[in-house]
């Protein structure tokens, strides 16, 4: 039996950078908070919690923090997904140090929507409503903004008379679905400009996982249950390989591999640490 690890599996550039930032700040001996979990992976979050990193779950918990005081002040690390503009304002008002680890690709979307909405465009974000990245993008818009997740929502969407739409996507959104939704807007004849802001790391990981799943008899997708990019990877792999397993840690893996299985493929979401991927790979190699 062959075990193939997807070459694109695991931490993407932005998540690696955010996690490294938290560790660098820890080295400085400060009290470290992250605004939301730094990555959607419980294993990483628990490891950081052991080192004293505290997670601010929402705006209310940030507002409840005592104000920063000179050298003693705490640092708040903004995770790769980014945050709405008002969070920067609150950090400043409170005198808390802001260490911004927003992924540069997400920053680019913030810049685009700020500029375009300031010019009066109605921003359409193709993404998952409620996802922190989408909330962050929404919070950067200076005018009307709508989140669209499903083609049906695009069908039902009716802009205000004279609206110019400007469409961007959540970085981890499914590539084909984004294009399909954009096509719906275009076919309706709306005045629409589009910038595809899907991150190439996501696209490459999705394409590579799809290709591996297409030739695998069994596919294992590793990642946090709250990680949207891992869930999408799972959907893609499931479409190619019926025997696809979504696991968070090795404990979730209850594999029974019949003799006929020739190829087991392994992939992982952008927030899955290498240690975990190696553990799963080793387990499959030793036990099957
Ligand atoms: Fe950034 Fe792309 Fe990762 S947007 S956080 S490098 S998936």
């Amino acid at each position: 039996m062959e075990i193939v690890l997807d070459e694109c599996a695991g931490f993407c550039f932005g998540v690696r950078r955010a996690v490294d930032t938290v560790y660098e700040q820890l080295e400085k001996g400060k009290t470290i908070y992250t605004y939301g979990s730094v990555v959607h992976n419980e294993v990483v979050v628990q490891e950081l919690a052991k080192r004293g990193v505290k997670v601010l779950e929402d705006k209310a918990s940030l507002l409840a923090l005592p104000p920063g005081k000179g050298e003693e002040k705490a640092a708040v690390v903004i995770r790769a997904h980014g945050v709405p503009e008002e969070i920067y304002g609150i950090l400043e008002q409170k005198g808390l140090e802001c260490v911004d680890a927003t992924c540069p690709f997400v920053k680019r979307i913030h810049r685009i929507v700020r500029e375009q909405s300031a010019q009066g465009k109605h921003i359409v974000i193709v993404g998952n409503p409620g996802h922190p990245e989408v909330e962050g993008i929404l919070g950067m818009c200076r005018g009307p903004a709508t989140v669209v997740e499903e083609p049906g929502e695009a069908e039902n969407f009716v802009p205000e008379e004279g609206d110019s739409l400007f469409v961007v996507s959540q970085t981890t959104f499914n590539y084909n679905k984004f294009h399909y939704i954009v096509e719906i807007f275009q076919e309706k004849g709306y005045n629409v400009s589009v910038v595809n802001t899907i991150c190439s790391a996501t696209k490459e990981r999705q394409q590579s996982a799809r290709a591996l799943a297409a030739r695998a008899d069994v596919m294992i997708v590793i990642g946090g249950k709250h990680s949207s990019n891992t869930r999408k990877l799972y959907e893609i792999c499931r479409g190619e390989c019926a025997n696809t397993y979504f696991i968070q840690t090795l404990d979730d893996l209850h594999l029974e591999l019949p003799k006929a299985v020739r190829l087991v493929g392994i992939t992982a979401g952008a927030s899955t640490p290498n240690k975990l991927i190696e553990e799963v790979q080793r387990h499959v190699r030793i036990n099957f």
Side-chain angles (χ1 to χ4, degrees), residues 12-15 80-81 103-106 133 171-172 199-202 205 270:
C12 62
F13 150 79
V15 169
H81 290 319
C103 175
F105 299 132
V106 177
E133 183 193 318
T171 54
T172 47
C199 169
S200 61
T202 306
R205 186 180 294 100

Side-chain angles (χ1 to χ4, degrees), residues 9 11 37 51 124 143 146 164 173 212 214 216 230 247 264 267 269 275:
F11 275 175
S37 306
R51 303 268 318 257
V124 177
T146 304
S164 294
F173 205 75
L212 179 56
T230 311
I247 62 164
V264 176
T267 191
K275 210 169 80 185

Side-chain angles (χ1 to χ4, degrees), residues 57-156:
E57 293 297 350
D58 49 25
K59 192 169 93 179
S61 38
L62 172 61
L63 286 167
L65 274 189
K69 288 185 261 129
E71 278 309 293
E72 292 165 46
K73 72 181 179 184
V76 178
V77 179
I78 306 291
R79 60 182 162 187
H81 290 319
V83 289
E85 192 148 40
E86 70 163 326
I87 299 300
Y88 292 101
I90 298 173
L91 288 169
E92 204 180 323
Q93 277 164 21
K94 284 186 142 320
L96 292 162
E97 184 185 345
C98 170
V99 181
D100 195 352
T102 305
C103 175
F105 299 132
V106 177
K107 278 263 180 215
R108 174 175 168 253
I109 306 178
H110 289 179
R111 202 191 63 239
I112 292 172
V113 300
R114 265 199 316 262
E115 286 169 6
Q116 295 299 326
S117 55
Q119 289 173 25
K121 302 272 172 58
H122 182 138
I123 306 296
V124 177
I125 305 159
V126 179
N128 314 122
H131 187 282
E133 183 193 318
V134 173
E135 293 293 305
I137 300 169
L138 267 176
M140 291 288 166
C141 296
R142 310 248 150 106
T146 304
V147 181
V148 172
E149 185 179 27
E150 296 297 335
E153 293 164 17
E155 294 281 3
N156 294 333

Side-chain angles (χ1 to χ4, degrees), residues 174-184 186 196 198:
N174 180 289
Y175 192 70
N176 296 334
K177 199 164 160 186
F178 172 72
H179 280 286
Y180 186 49
I181 287 173
V182 166
E183 260 171 41
I184 294 172
Q186 287 167 337
N196 173 1
I198 295 178

Side-chain angles (χ1 to χ4, degrees), residues 208-220:
S208 162
R210 189 193 302 276
L212 179 56
R215 59 191 187 99
D217 302 299
V218 170
M219 195 68 198
I220 302 169

Side-chain angles (χ1 to χ4, degrees), residues 41-56:
N41 188 287
E42 280 173 28
V43 179
V44 182
V45 172
Q46 280 164 12
E47 216 172 275
L48 289 170
K50 278 191 214 143
R51 303 268 318 257
V53 175
K54 299 179 180 75
V55 179
L56 299 168

